[in-house]
Structures are given as C-alpha cells and as structure tokens.
Amino acid sequence: MSRQPDILFLEEWLKSRSGDPKKFSPKKSYPLSARAIIQAWAELRDSLQQPSFHQHHLQHLKSLINSQTSLHVADPQARLVLRILSSSNFSLPYESYPLLFRLLYIWVRKASKPTSDIIDSAIGVLSHLFSSQFDSGNNPVFFSEGILLLGAFSFVPSLSEKSKTFFLDLLSRQLIEKCQLLGSFTELVPDFLAGIGYALSSSVTVHYHRILNSLFEIWHKDDGPQCNIFLGLIVLHLFDWVMSNLINFQFLDKINVILQETFGSLKENYASFAVFMAAAGVLRVVNRSASSGVKLEILSTMRVSAVVWMEALTNDLVSGTLRFNNSGNDHKNRLLLQCVSLALARTGSFLGHSSLFVCLALALLTEIFPLPRLYKSVVEPSNAPHELKLNEVKEHLDNILFQEAGAITAIFCNQYVSADEENKNIVENLIWEYCRDIYFGHRQVALILKGKQDELLEGLEKIAESAFLMVVVFALAYMETIHKVVATVNSNEHTCTSFLNSMPSYVDLTNGPDQKTKYLWSEDEVQTARILFYLRVIPTFIECLPSNVFSNMIAPTMFLYLEHPDGKVAQASHSLFVAFMSMGKESEKNDRVSLKEQLVFHYIQTSLLRYPLITPFEGMASGVVGVAQHLPAGSPATFYFIHGLVEKASQLCSEAFTHEADAWKKRQGEPEPSKKLMDLLLRLIFLVDIQVLPDLMKQLAQLITALPRDAQNMVLNELYSLVADSEDVIRKPTLVSWLQSLSYLCTSATHQNAASKKSVGEDNLTLASIQDPLSSGRLTSQL
C-alpha cells in the first residue's frame, strides 16, 4: 500500500524515525486534568480583560503545550489565541509566540474539518507577526514554529486556494529571509522540515522551486545546521510521507514537478546526502505502491528518477574513494556512505547497480565497522583522555549504523550475487585487505589495553565480533568460489606451500609486534585465533606437503602450541600431529618415516612434560595411538614413547597413592590422570607391533605390581575383560599366559607383604617373569 498510517503531528513522527532518541526524541506529553485545562484557558481569557499578560499566563501556556497529545483545542479557543496574538493592549513576552503558534497548530491538525473563517482571520495576524518590523520574529524557535504552522495551514484540504497560496507565499518568504536563524539549533530541524513537508503536500503548486531549494541548500550554508545521518533519515521519511500523500490525493502533476525540481538537473548547492535520502524516500514509496493500483507510468518515472540520481551520486563517491582513498577524512563522503547503507536497508535491495554495491562495501568497512580508525586512535600517541576514546566506542555501539549492521550486510550479500566480476573483485580485495588490517590492528591494541583499559578493549571486541560475522556471512554468499579455491589448493603442492607462507614463523609467534610491550605468546589471543585456523586447515591438504616443508614451516609451530594453556588449541595441535603420522606417499616413504621418528621423540617429551596440567589427555592419546599404528615395526621411537608413558604413569601413581591407597576409587566423575595413562597403556597392548609387545608387557608388569592391592585388582579386571574380548589370535595366547603370571605375581606379592617376608626363590621367579613375559608358559604349567 502507498498509504502511510495516519500521522497527526508530522514532526513527532519524523523524530521517531531519526534513529537518535537522545537529540530527536518525541516530546513527552503530560496529561492535564479537565479542571487544570479549564483553569488555564480561563486565565488566558482573563489576560484580554485585564488587559495584561504576566508570568503565570506564560506558565499556563506551557502546561497546555506539555499535554499536546491529549489536548483538544476547540474553535473558540483557537479564536482566543488569535485575539491574544493580535492584541495591542499589552506586550507579549517573546517566548509566548512559539507557544501560541503551537496551540493553533494543535487545533488545525486535530480538527476533523478546521473552520475556514478562523484560518482566514489568521492571515492578517500572521502577516504582521512575520513582517520584518516584528522583533520577536528573529528568534529560531519563533521561526521553526512559524514554518510548521504556515505549512500546516497550507495543507488543510478544505481551505480556499487563495488562502493556501497566501500561506505558501508567507512561508517561502520566511525561508528566504530567515532560514539562517536555524543556525546550530539542530533540534529544531524536524519542526522546520515538517512545515516544508506540509507545504509540499498542499494542493496548490506554487513556490516549489523556492521551497525545495531551502530544503536542500540549508545544509551547505556556513550558518546552517550540521548535517548527520539522523537528519538524513528524517529527509528520507519526509519524502516518503510527501510522495505518499501526493499519490493518495492523485496530485500527479505535483509529483512530476517535485521530480523535475529535485532530480531534473545537477544543482551544486544541493547537499548530496539530502538529495540521496530524498531519492531513497521516493523509491521506498514506489516499492510500497507497486501493488496498490497506482498507474505504472508514474511509478516507473519515480523509480527511474530516484535510482538514476542515487547511482550518479555514488559513482562519484566510489571513483574518488578508490582512486584517492580519502573517504575516511572527508565528512561529506563519510556521511554519504552512511546514508547509502541505511537508505538501502530501508528501501530494500535493487540489483544491477555496481556503484551502490561498492558503496555498501565501503560503508561496512569504514563506517559501520570502523575498526582501523578506532585502532589508530588507540595506538597513536595523543593528548586525548582515555574517557574520550571509551565514549567514542560506546557511542558507536549505540549508533543506529552499528545496530542495523545485520540488515545492511544482508542487502550487501544480495547485491554481491548479481554484481559483475570486476566489481566482485574490487569488493573482495577490499574485504581481505580489511581483514588483514583488523588482524594486525586488533592484535596490537589487545596487547596494549589488556589489563589496563579492559572496558575499552571489550567495546572494541564487540565491534570486531560483529565485523567477523559480517565477513563470514559475506563469504557464504560466494561459497562456490571458495570451494573451487580449496579444491585447487588441496591438489597442488605449490599452492599449498604458498598458503603456508602466510602463516607467521616461529620467530614471529614468540616475539611481540613491538619491543615496547611485554609479550607472552600464549596470551596473544588474536594471534592464537589465527594459528588455530591454520592448525585446523592444514590437515585437509597435508598429503600435498613435502617432508621438508612440514619440518621447517609447520612442526615448530605445532610443537609450540602443544603447550598452549587453551585446551582446544592444544587439541588442534595434537590432531595435526596425528594427521601427519597417518599420511605418507610411497615415493617419499623413507623421508617421511625418518621425519616421523624424529618428531615422535619431541612430541612425547612435550606432551608428557605438560600432562596433566596443560596437555589434554584426549589429544595426547590420539597422538600416541597414531604413533603406535604408523611407525615401522620395531622402531626405536616406539620403544621410547612406551618407556616415557610408563615412567610418567609410575610418577603419577606414586603421587596419587602416597596419601590414599584407594585414590582411584574415590575419584568422582572424570578418572584420575594416572588412571587415564594406565588405561592408555592397556589399550596399547593391542596396538603396538609384535616386536615391541614384550617390552611393553615387561614394563606394564613392573608398573602394575607396584600398585596398591585395590588398584591392582582394578587393572587386572580390566585386563581380563580386554583379553577375553580380543579376537587377535596371534596376541591372545601370549596375553593369556602373561596375565595369569601377572595375577600370580600380584597375589604372591600381597601375601609376602602380609607375612613381612620374601624368599629368594620367589624374588628370582618374579624378576624372571617380568623380564621375560614370553617365558611365562613355564610358570603357567607350575600353576
């Protein structure tokens, strides 16, 4: 539908659409009791009879205005207001005129059919008040309220054409003579623009050129209001309201006049942001009116006029920005970028317009997520206090641009789908360059602010998180391209190596971005996030990497992050090690096997040294299993890691059972660290090769027999269960015999401890069985 909801006070509606609830919040209404309203009007009536106008009369005026929403002004009261304004028996204080204008405005907007003779009688009064001889007319509030009232009078449908023309004459004269009165009083602009909106919606087509000039030129005046995105939104919704009225009233000739005056030719004095937002307002009406039965010809004309100017304005901006990279320092360009983003979010996406697409990208990267600019303000030395930087970040988080980032990103992605290849490449390069700048910038800022200005860092991280989400959503819009790139990388050794060249070296990882800041690599969260990405991606193409590339470029980083205190990061390093252990090509078999054996020694040392405080058990367990399954039979590295596991398990068991013999039983929830290692060793019985198995059985026997009796029973029961369920016909006979001997040794050791004696023959038997588990058949026959 083209019809707007019934709007009683246009200026209040425009304020509510501005996106700035602090500066342009709608007036609060404080309802008066019927008695207070009657008394106020009685006091005002008495002022004519006395005749005098005192401070308490002014206070009654303010009370009536403060109840604007609920106040009803009848015809007799409107006549009373006109009599007070025209009285020559007393002098009114200058602040009373805007209040009296507002009462007439309330009357004319709330009356279902304002009485024409009352409005006609206002002609003489207002003509005098707006004359150049009237001193109070040089007041900004007087001016804005006057424009609002004159516009509202000209919009009354039942008024004669002559009277409407008079009010438009008076309004246009005021715009020429006193528009500069607005000055820096930005809070008065919605009233001023609402008056213009009423005037443009009038049935009389006079002074359009003058009125539109005032609307679009006021922003370029040195003494004019400071333009910003909130006023831009007001202009957008103003034109939305005006054009909807003209369509509903079938004032098609007036539509053509506005289109011709506004978009017919380039006018240097017109503010580009205001023209763009006016065009967006027109386009918004067209989109809403498409199915409402309005003539397609007029809608087509409106659409073409709006889109042509929107693209013309953004073409200049894009070419200048990409050529000179100056949008960040030019307030005019920055404002236009902001307007482009919010305007398209409110009008919906229209495809096939390259400059708008690139503008959206620039707006997202420089205005909605302006992290490079914010980082620069933090890093560069300045005299600005910390509170000023913090307030800047807080204000941005509360800004309507940031709050509507999701909707703008959605429009941006829709534009990408239909963009041509040239502009796709431009935008992709902008995005990736932005990501690189954010990485280095946020890393440096995080190191500077962490622990010192955490609130500021938290605010920057909120913006960075949203920026990251924007990049992810954008990446999803061209996922097909990403798949092609990944497929190419995964199948090509050169591209894989080139990708790894982008990964920071070990030296870069362990040294900070500058020498001034105390640096600890494990506390660099930004760099850690980047490395975590590499740790998770490298396994997908590890088969393509030569051994020397893994040894020189990946292994140092992998071993460094095995020691990272964050469990998920350490886990990713373990997973990368497992991926390396499980891969290999026949042509490089000898080189890879040699490297694998070399890396195992350092891997086991690092993992066990940090277990259980840092090393995640699941990660280490997967690494150990990978070593057991993928090293050559009888490899010295296998013997080494078994010895290391048993030694660490013995140490942890000794610590656990020093104070409590039943430490494993008392542990609630997750098993005790030493118990986890014991379970891992038991699993290895079925994984290591036959050449290594005897050594593992011997060391396990030594470890198990040293445990307290309850712990021995737990391990033996688990071993019984594992052996019984095993279908390994090669290992099972040996394991059965070994387990029987181990059980006997544990029982024998318990009895000897109870009797406090130990025979030499039993000592020799125990020692012999542990050293040569494969000879336990002799013991079994004795049993």
Side-chain angles (χ1 to χ4, degrees):
M1 295 190 312
S2 65
R3 184 174 178 81
Q4 289 273 19
D6 290 335
I7 295 170
L8 190 60
F9 300 118
L10 178 57
E11 76 287 355
E12 298 300 315
W13 181 74
L14 292 176
K15 291 176 184 177
S16 68
R17 295 295 184 270
S18 69
D20 186 2
K22 295 180 180 178
K23 179 165 286 188
F24 297 122
S25 58
K27 290 182 179 178
K28 293 182 179 180
S29 182
Y30 303 95
L32 290 178
S33 65
R35 181 176 181 180
I37 293 174
I38 292 171
Q39 182 181 357
W41 285 115
E43 291 288 342
L44 291 175
R45 193 175 296 109
D46 289 343
S47 69
L48 289 173
Q49 297 172 358
Q50 293 178 359
S52 60
F53 199 94
H54 299 296
Q55 190 64 33
H56 71 280
H57 294 120
L58 183 64
Q59 192 59 46
H60 284 301
L61 269 180
K62 291 180 179 179
S63 299
L64 290 172
I65 298 303
N66 287 336
S67 63
Q68 170 174 309
T69 302
S70 59
L71 180 66
H72 177 74
V73 180
D75 286 0
Q77 295 158 341
R79 288 191 173 92
L80 171 63
V81 171
L82 287 174
R83 288 174 60 196
I84 294 175
L85 284 171
S86 61
S87 176
S88 58
N89 295 326
F90 52 78
S91 297
L92 289 171
Y94 75 90
E95 63 263 39
S96 67
Y97 289 99
L99 300 176
L100 292 166
F101 287 171
R102 177 63 64 157
L103 286 176
L104 288 175
Y105 173 68
I106 295 172
W107 167 73
V108 77
R109 291 302 294 152
K110 285 194 173 184
S112 58
K113 188 177 181 182
T115 306
S116 298
D117 67 323
I118 297 180
I119 300 179
D120 289 339
S121 66
I123 291 177
V125 177
L126 296 179
S127 180
H128 168 70
L129 293 178
F130 285 108
S131 66
S132 57
Q133 291 81 19
F134 190 70
D135 294 336
S136 295
N138 294 320
N139 177 276
V141 182
F142 181 99
F143 170 75
S144 62
E145 289 290 332
I147 295 294
L148 182 64
L149 178 60
L150 292 172
F153 278 160
S154 73
F155 184 56
V156 175
S158 60
L159 201 61
S160 68
E161 184 172 329
K162 180 180 178 182
S163 296
K164 289 181 181 180
T165 302
F166 166 79
F167 289 120
L168 290 175
D169 286 340
L170 196 53
L171 181 142
S172 63
R173 191 160 62 246
Q174 292 300 303
L175 292 177
I176 293 174
E177 296 175 357
K178 300 182 179 179
C179 205
Q180 73 278 3
L181 290 175
L182 277 180
S184 59
F185 295 92
T186 308
E187 67 277 7
L188 301 179
V189 172
D191 297 337
F192 165 77
L193 292 179
I196 287 182
Y198 289 130
L200 292 175
S201 300
S202 174
S203 61
V204 179
T205 309
V206 292
H207 304 302
Y208 261 33
H209 176 77
R210 189 177 296 173
I211 294 173
L212 288 170
N213 281 352
S214 298
L215 169 59
F216 292 115
E217 291 180 355
I218 187 175
W219 320 102
H220 277 171
K221 296 181 183 296
D222 293 335
D223 52 358
Q226 184 178 6
C227 43
N228 54 49
I229 183 58
F230 310 112
L231 292 174
L233 286 173
I234 288 178
V235 173
L236 183 151
H237 288 285
L238 174 69
F239 266 76
D240 183 353
W241 186 84
V242 169
M243 300 305 282
S244 294
N245 282 330
L246 298 182
I247 289 177
N248 291 332
F249 298 147
Q250 294 293 300
F251 294 159
L252 303 186
D253 57 333
K254 298 197 67 172
I255 292 177
N256 288 320
V257 171
I258 289 183
L259 294 179
Q260 182 61 34
E261 289 290 341
T262 307
F263 310 117
S265 61
L266 177 65
K267 299 179 178 65
E268 294 184 359
N269 292 332
Y270 277 20
S272 56
F273 90 96
V275 176
F276 185 91
M277 294 306 260
V282 172
L283 189 62
R284 182 178 166 91
V285 176
V286 173
N287 292 340
R288 195 170 57 244
S289 306
S291 60
S292 63
V294 180
K295 290 183 178 180
L296 293 179
E297 182 181 355
I298 190 63
L299 291 181
S300 177
T301 302
M302 291 170 64
R303 174 180 286 276
V304 171
S305 299
V307 172
V308 166
W309 268 97
M310 292 173 77
E311 186 151 49
L313 290 169
T314 53
N315 265 332
D316 294 341
L317 176 60
V318 168
S319 60
T321 301
L322 295 181
R323 186 180 303 171
F324 304 109
N325 193 26
N326 63 349
S327 66
N329 300 320
D330 190 314
H331 175 73
K332 175 184 174 183
N333 290 345
R334 287 188 56 193
L335 177 58
L336 186 54
L337 285 176
Q338 295 171 12
C339 289
V340 169
S341 59
L342 288 184
L344 293 187
R346 279 160 172 72
T347 58
S349 178
F350 47 99
L351 307 178
H353 300 276
S354 57
S355 61
L356 289 170
F357 169 56
V358 178
C359 260
L360 273 180
L362 292 171
L364 282 165
L365 304 183
T366 62
E367 299 303 321
I368 299 172
F369 305 116
L371 288 168
R373 187 167 70 245
L374 295 174
Y375 292 155
K376 186 177 181 180
S377 69
V378 172
V379 174
E380 290 186 350
S382 67
N383 297 324
H386 159 67
E387 292 76 13
L388 189 62
K389 299 176 183 178
L390 179 59
N391 288 337
E392 182 182 7
V393 172
K394 285 182 175 179
E395 287 176 3
H396 187 78
L397 289 171
D398 294 335
N399 193 293
I400 189 172
L401 284 166
F402 184 74
Q403 293 173 356
E404 297 202 12
I408 297 168
T409 301
I411 297 292
F412 174 56
C413 292
N414 289 337
Q415 292 273 347
Y416 176 86
V417 174
S418 63
D420 57 60
E421 289 302 318
E422 179 183 358
N423 285 288
K424 281 184 177 180
N425 291 333
I426 291 174
V427 167
E428 287 169 10
N429 289 333
L430 288 172
I431 294 284
W432 305 142
E433 184 178 349
Y434 174 83
C435 292
R436 184 194 63 191
D437 293 343
I438 294 311
Y439 167 73
F440 289 108
H442 196 81
R443 182 188 178 201
Q444 187 175 13
V445 164
L447 294 173
I448 293 174
L449 299 181
K450 191 171 184 179
K452 301 172 184 175
Q453 300 178 29
D454 289 333
E455 189 177 2
L456 177 57
L457 179 58
E458 182 181 348
L460 291 171
E461 286 177 345
K462 288 180 180 179
I463 301 175
E465 288 171 3
S466 297
F468 177 73
L469 182 59
M470 178 272 293
V471 173
V472 171
V473 173
F474 170 70
L476 290 175
Y478 67 107
M479 187 56 70
E480 182 179 352
T481 303
I482 294 178
H483 283 314
K484 290 179 181 178
V485 172
V486 171
T488 302
V489 171
N490 284 352
S491 60
N492 189 292
E493 178 182 308
H494 175 72
T495 54
C496 290
T497 305
S498 298
F499 172 75
L500 289 177
N501 286 330
S502 66
M503 184 173 71
S505 66
Y506 181 88
V507 175
D508 293 333
L509 293 173
T510 52
N511 291 279
D514 57 66
Q515 302 299 321
K516 301 177 183 178
T517 309
K518 184 179 179 181
Y519 184 74
L520 181 62
W521 67 271
S522 60
E523 294 180 355
D524 190 339
E525 297 177 356
V526 179
Q527 179 173 262
T528 297
R530 182 183 181 189
I531 296 302
L532 180 58
F533 167 77
Y534 284 100
L535 294 175
R536 289 174 172 172
V537 169
I538 291 173
T540 64
F541 59 84
I542 200 169
E543 290 283 352
C544 298
L545 297 176
S547 298
N548 65 316
V549 172
F550 188 91
S551 175
N552 297 331
M553 301 179 68
I554 300 176
T557 299
M558 177 184 71
F559 285 126
L560 178 66
Y561 281 84
L562 282 175
E563 303 181 59
H564 198 281
D566 189 325
K568 66 180 179 182
V569 179
Q571 177 71 46
S573 296
H574 285 282
S575 299
L576 176 56
F577 177 78
V578 173
F580 173 72
M581 293 301 299
S582 61
M583 66 92 183
K585 294 181 180 177
E586 291 300 324
S587 60
E588 297 180 339
K589 185 173 181 181
N590 292 333
D591 290 342
R592 290 189 183 277
V593 168
S594 175
L595 179 59
K596 287 179 182 179
E597 291 184 307
Q598 293 174 34
L599 297 183
V600 165
F601 290 94
H602 190 64
Y603 174 77
I604 293 299
Q605 286 178 356
T606 304
S607 299
L608 292 178
L609 180 65
R610 300 293 182 179
Y611 180 76
L613 296 179
I614 292 180
T615 301
F617 174 77
E618 292 76 12
M620 182 177 66
S622 63
V624 167
V625 170
V627 170
Q629 293 178 328
H630 298 289
L631 282 182
S635 171
T638 309
F639 286 97
Y640 178 81
F641 91 72
I642 288 175
H643 175 76
L645 285 173
V646 172
E647 187 176 40
K648 186 68 175 184
S650 176
Q651 173 198 335
L652 294 177
C653 287
S654 176
E655 294 172 358
F657 296 123
T658 297
H659 304 292
E660 294 181 294
D662 57 350
W664 285 358
K665 285 186 176 181
K666 286 188 174 181
R667 182 80 171 200
Q668 298 293 325
E670 190 176 349
E672 204 270 338
S674 60
K675 181 64 169 61
K676 288 184 178 181
L677 272 188
M678 180 63 74
D679 293 340
L680 177 59
L681 286 167
L682 298 185
R683 285 177 58 198
L684 289 175
I685 291 175
F686 301 94
L687 296 177
V688 297
D689 64 88
I690 296 297
Q691 297 182 40
V692 179
L693 182 60
D695 185 68
L696 174 59
M697 294 165 67
K698 180 187 73 173
Q699 295 195 54
L700 260 179
Q702 292 174 332
L703 176 61
I704 293 170
T705 54
L707 297 174
R709 182 58 186 166
D710 286 343
Q712 287 180 355
N713 290 337
M714 290 178 66
V715 175
L716 290 173
N717 288 336
E718 291 176 20
L719 273 172
Y720 281 129
S721 178
L722 291 171
V723 173
D725 294 339
S726 174
E727 297 179 358
D728 190 334
V729 296
I730 297 177
R731 298 172 191 255
K732 193 165 186 175
T734 301
L735 292 175
V736 169
S737 300
W738 172 72
L739 183 54
Q740 290 175 334
S741 301
L742 180 60
S743 178
Y744 172 78
L745 292 174
C746 290
T747 304
S748 174
T750 301
H751 291 161
Q752 290 171 12
N753 290 335
S756 301
K757 62 182 179 179
K758 197 172 188 180
S759 66
V760 175
E762 290 172 329
D763 285 343
N764 292 337
L765 178 62
T766 300
L767 184 59
S769 299
I770 291 175
Q771 289 178 344
D772 187 10
L774 293 179
S775 67
S776 62
R778 296 189 297 274
L779 180 61
T780 304
S781 62
Q782 294 176 11
L783 292 173

